Amino acid sequence: MLSSRRQRILCALIEEYVASACPVGSRTIAEHHKLGVSPATIRNELSALEEAGYITQPHTSAGRVPTDAGYREFVDGILSDEQMAASIPHPSAIEALKKSADALDDLIERTNAELARLTECLSVIMAPVSSEARIRQISLVSLSDSSALAVLVTDDGQVANENVIFTEPMPADDLQALERIMNNALAGHATDAIAELANATDPALKTAAARTVMRSLACAAATLTRARASRSGMSTLMRKPEFHESQSLLPVMEILEDDTVLFKAIGRDGQGSEGIKIRIGHENAAEQLFGVSVIAGVYGRGPAQGMIAVIGPTRMDYSKTIGAVQAAQSILNGE
Amino acid sequence: MLSSRRQRILCALIEEYVASACPVGSRTIAEHHKLGVSPATIRNELSALEEAGYITQPHTSAGRVPTDAGYREFVDGILSDEQMAASIPHPSAIEALKKSADALDDLIERTNAELARLTECLSVIMAPVSSEARIRQISLVSLSDSSALAVLVTDDGQVANENVIFTEPMPADDLQALERIMNNALAGHATDAIAELANATDPALKTAAARTVMRSLACAAATLTRARASRSGMSTLMRKPEFHESQSLLPVMEILEDDTVLFKAIGRDGQGSEGIKIRIGHENAAEQLFGVSVIAGVYGRGPAQGMIAVIGPTRMDYSKTIGAVQAAQSILNGE
DNA sequence: CTTAGCAGTCTAAGCGCTAGAGTGCCAGCA
DNA sequence: TGCTGGCACTCTAGCGCTTAGACTGCTAAG
């Protein structure tokens, strides 16, 4: 357990380092923060903090830099202070976003842009996926003589569509009949039950046309459970001094390339719990994220949960970022 | 006009430079390419090529590097050779993609990934946008007592949806009636005509509920004309030596952040013409792309045209990239 | 327990030097 | 006239050296 003074010195050092990105010396701390002690005393404390693993020296004649453990201590201090409630920023921005809320995808996109702007980091919002969604309605819309579009709507308002190409011409009446058959057979069932139902005994589902439609619907349903991410703020991240050589950004970029990979990397163990997960440097499960911190939170009620994550240098303004993620949560929860 | 030998020397230099990313000297060219002349002769020719602006020296004692004009000359040579037809690569990969073609968005995603992999560059595919699309069908799907989902399908198979929140409860029968009214009023009209039709005299469209639905449909239709881009291969680009300092990649990243900006930057004057546009370095209209080359082509028939673009260092394998873009075009044209 | 002062250490930056790569030019040759 | 070998010249990358500056750790005094 750290003494109060050491804690204050650690905080001062981190604040300084977050602002400057340069190793911080004892004199700087003494000058910029009114701790009432001389640099020499601070040096002694810094030495102890280094011993304990909270800070480190790049080389003998340089100042100190926080370690992952140092940031962790700092962040835990912030969180226990419960000063967070006060730090949720910019209610006006939130209002503006809620007013413009049309479709969910659009709201996600806007919120994400705002989140990236506020935090000056990379931000990612994953659309909610719910394997438990049920089929509310199916529409078959004719596109040509022998092709149609199958549109599937779930009870939580998601939409998926897929082309259907019939082997022979399909008159409008037959298509409508087929649509009725599909709705009778599938409405109310879980989206992932389509494949099973295709094997059911209902003779109406055994026609060639019905099978074709079922196949397309299964494809459409599959796209609903696929992770879909919106990204914003990559260029902001590139401007930070720690990422000036792109080598340091490469692992992050690799993770970002694929929605599914990204989902796994960010979502590990964050699922289900309501609060905000903070993973600093090596606390991340994915090796590619060892060099950055991830502030993640879930949103959405019930089974359909989405995820918000801000990715930035370990040297980030944690307080501001946590507040911003909370604000994004409340926007997307429709509060 | 360049003499045949100078042309061959320029090609040799570019090939060498594309492979090595290092300034190329006269000896290297003499050794690796059988031109039948000594380094001294090549030096004279190089001097002339530099005079003409096709190549340049980073400093006196270094080899030569192609300029944008040099690449242009080289590329024009390639294109006039018509050897392109032969260079469309990997028909097997194309087959595999076509077989897995479900929804267009999915096909775009896969094609894009393959394009990035083949070219080892950043690749972007913009989904087709057609302001001329006509409304084929509208569905209103009830989600709760007083909310529904409006789904709009166009005659070219695009789907847009939007939440509708009614001010008072909306029974299923009324919703169906409303759906019928909407289809009668709107089917066959252009998507951008919804706003005008809302002001029409038809009394059935003047009810509060109808107005609410119309507003949502207009929003949904608007999303159809918005540029939507799929990106792939950013990390591949970061691995290239010219982009090792992220400063050089920053402008490209900025353009990539916003779909609309990206569309404008890539699409300038590429619209309408069938062929493949090659813009090398400063030939690009957007300043942020001065450091890269863009190989762009359109796909899709009729008014709904999408765009394919590969973005890479000016030092790229133009022949391979052009072939790959052509292949992507043929996949997305459904050939 | 704190502090001032001091010696010690390490880096960043500037300078000079050298090896190497590549050029341009010239004179000779086909 | 055009090509070639040879040579002097130029410029960079890299190495070692030196110095200024930053910061520390230690010690002795308050």
Side-chain angles (χ1 to χ4, degrees):
Chain A
M1 189 55 204
L2 284 179
S3 79
S4 152
R5 188 170 69 183
R6 279 189 195 157
Q7 219 156 19
R8 260 178 298 142
I9 290 179
L10 179 60
C11 285
L13 183 136
I14 288 179
E15 272 172 42
E16 206 68 42
Y17 184 65
V18 165
S20 73
C22 289
V24 182
S26 55
R27 188 155 33 135
T28 318
I29 296 179
E31 279 171 9
H32 293 23
H33 301 260
K34 309 200 168 169
L35 294 168
V37 290
S38 77
T41 310
I42 294 177
R43 275 204 289 282
N44 287 328
E45 300 288 42
L46 288 179
S47 194
L49 283 166
E50 180 162 19
E51 184 86 12
Y54 294 117
I55 56 180
T56 184
Q57 278 184 298
H59 55 262
T60 331
S61 76
R64 257 82 171 203
V65 164
T67 61
D68 291 352
Y71 286 119
R72 167 52 60 192
E73 177 70 21
F74 172 75
V75 166
D76 289 347
I78 287 179
L79 293 180
S80 66
D81 276 6
E82 301 290 352
Q83 65 180 51
M84 286 292 79
S87 79
I88 291 186
H90 305 260
S92 66
I94 296 181
E95 280 315 309
L97 282 172
K98 275 201 285 198
K99 232 175 17 190
S100 70
D102 344 342
L104 180 61
D105 280 355
D106 197 45
L107 181 61
I108 287 178
E109 204 70 44
R110 285 156 183 269
T111 307
N112 200 22
E114 186 66 13
L115 186 55
R117 203 185 57 76
L118 271 173
T119 58
E120 298 173 52
C121 288
L122 169 64
S123 89
V124 174
I125 300 185
M126 317 263 337
V129 293
S130 61
S131 55
E132 299 177 32
R134 290 176 177 285
I135 297 168
R136 168 130 278 168
Q137 186 176 310
I138 289 161
S139 302
L140 295 177
V141 182
S142 170
L143 291 179
S144 74
D145 271 4
S146 62
S147 77
L149 194 75
V151 180
L152 184 158
V153 180
T154 66
D155 54 3
D156 52 0
Q158 295 185 87
V159 179
N161 61 280
E162 187 78 31
N163 283 312
V164 188
I165 295 171
F166 297 107
T167 48
E168 45 198 85
M170 174 66 56
D173 289 349
D174 291 6
L175 195 66
Q176 279 195 14
L178 201 52
E179 183 179 288
R180 241 172 285 128
I181 292 171
M182 287 296 149
N183 276 300
N184 285 337
L186 299 177
H189 286 91
T191 51
D192 50 6
I194 295 177
E196 300 165 30
L197 289 165
N199 298 325
T201 48
D202 186 345
L205 296 179
K206 291 294 182 187
T207 63
R211 286 164 175 278
T212 308
V213 173
M214 295 284 273
R215 218 175 306 122
S216 292
L217 285 173
C219 280
T223 65
L224 288 179
T225 58
R226 205 174 296 158
R228 279 176 308 128
S230 159
R231 304 156 180 77
S232 185
M234 194 65 208
S235 66
T236 327
L237 214 53
M238 290 181 99
R239 264 184 276 260
K240 308 246 168 197
E242 38 269 270
F243 299 123
H244 265 6
E245 328 105 10
S246 62
Q247 216 56 17
S248 53
L249 215 45
L250 188 55
V252 178
M253 206 67 211
E254 278 169 358
I255 280 225
L256 278 178
E257 294 244 52
D258 185 89
D259 286 358
T260 312
V261 173
L262 180 59
F263 181 80
K264 278 191 200 137
I266 285 175
R268 207 73 63 84
D269 82 57
Q271 289 291 53
S273 88
E274 258 313 301
I276 287 189
K277 292 275 172 201
I278 299 168
R279 266 161 272 142
I280 300 166
H282 288 74
E283 294 173 11
N284 283 291
E287 196 174 349
Q288 294 99 318
L289 297 177
F290 279 5
V292 296
S293 286
V294 178
I295 317 292
V298 297
Y299 68 91
R301 293 179 223 285
Q305 287 207 317
M307 199 180 307
I308 302 167
V310 172
I311 299 175
T314 53
R315 180 188 70 82
M316 70 159 73
D317 184 337
Y318 287 92
S319 171
K320 187 174 75 174
T321 308
I322 294 168
V325 172
Q326 286 176 333
Q329 279 181 314
S330 71
I331 292 173
L332 293 174
N333 283 332
E335 284 164 8
Chain B
M1 190 55 203
L2 284 179
S3 78
S4 151
R5 187 169 73 183
R6 281 191 193 155
Q7 219 156 20
R8 262 179 296 143
I9 290 180
L10 179 60
C11 285
L13 184 136
I14 289 179
E15 272 172 41
E16 206 68 42
Y17 184 65
V18 166
S20 72
C22 289
V24 182
S26 55
R27 188 154 33 133
T28 318
I29 295 179
E31 279 171 10
H32 293 24
H33 301 259
K34 309 200 168 170
L35 295 167
V37 290
S38 76
T41 310
I42 293 178
R43 276 203 289 282
N44 286 328
E45 301 289 41
L46 289 179
S47 193
L49 283 166
E50 180 162 19
E51 185 85 12
Y54 294 118
I55 56 180
T56 183
Q57 276 184 300
H59 55 261
T60 331
S61 75
R64 256 82 170 201
V65 164
T67 61
D68 290 352
Y71 286 119
R72 166 53 60 195
E73 178 69 23
F74 173 73
V75 166
D76 288 347
I78 287 179
L79 293 179
S80 66
D81 275 7
E82 301 290 351
Q83 65 182 52
M84 285 292 80
S87 79
I88 293 186
H90 304 260
S92 65
I94 296 181
E95 280 313 310
L97 282 172
K98 276 201 286 196
K99 231 175 16 191
S100 71
D102 345 341
L104 180 61
D105 280 355
D106 197 46
L107 180 63
I108 286 177
E109 205 71 43
R110 287 155 182 268
T111 307
N112 201 21
E114 186 66 14
L115 186 55
R117 202 185 58 76
L118 270 174
T119 58
E120 298 174 51
C121 288
L122 169 64
S123 89
V124 174
I125 300 186
M126 318 262 338
V129 292
S130 61
S131 54
E132 299 177 31
R134 292 180 176 281
I135 297 168
R136 167 131 279 167
Q137 184 176 312
I138 290 161
S139 303
L140 295 177
V141 182
S142 171
L143 291 179
S144 74
D145 271 4
S146 62
S147 76
L149 193 76
V151 181
L152 185 158
V153 180
T154 66
D155 55 2
D156 53 1
Q158 295 186 88
V159 179
N161 61 283
E162 187 78 32
N163 283 312
V164 188
I165 297 173
F166 298 107
T167 48
E168 45 198 87
M170 174 66 57
D173 288 351
D174 291 7
L175 195 66
Q176 278 195 15
L178 201 51
E179 183 179 287
R180 239 169 289 127
I181 292 171
M182 289 296 149
N183 276 300
N184 285 337
L186 299 177
H189 286 92
T191 52
D192 50 5
I194 295 177
E196 300 165 30
L197 290 166
N199 298 325
T201 48
D202 186 346
L205 295 179
K206 292 292 182 186
T207 64
R211 284 164 176 277
T212 309
V213 172
M214 296 282 275
R215 219 175 305 124
S216 293
L217 285 173
C219 279
T223 66
L224 288 179
T225 58
R226 206 173 296 159
R228 280 177 306 128
S230 160
R231 303 157 182 76
S232 185
M234 194 64 208
S235 65
T236 325
L237 214 52
M238 289 180 98
R239 264 185 274 262
K240 309 245 166 197
E242 38 267 272
F243 299 123
H244 266 6
E245 329 106 9
S246 63
Q247 217 57 17
S248 53
L249 215 44
L250 188 55
V252 178
M253 206 66 214
E254 277 169 0
I255 281 227
L256 279 177
E257 295 244 51
D258 186 88
D259 286 358
T260 312
V261 173
L262 180 59
F263 181 79
K264 277 190 200 140
I266 285 177
R268 207 72 64 83
D269 81 57
Q271 287 292 53
S273 88
E274 259 313 302
I276 286 189
K277 292 274 173 200
I278 299 169
R279 265 162 272 141
I280 298 166
H282 287 75
E283 293 173 9
N284 283 290
E287 195 174 348
Q288 293 100 319
L289 297 178
F290 280 4
V292 295
S293 285
V294 178
I295 316 293
V298 297
Y299 69 92
R301 293 180 223 284
Q305 287 208 317
M307 199 179 307
I308 303 167
V310 172
I311 300 176
T314 52
R315 180 188 70 81
M316 70 158 72
D317 184 337
Y318 287 91
S319 170
K320 188 173 74 174
T321 308
I322 294 168
V325 171
Q326 286 176 333
Q329 279 181 314
S330 72
I331 292 174
L332 292 174
N333 282 333
E335 283 164 9

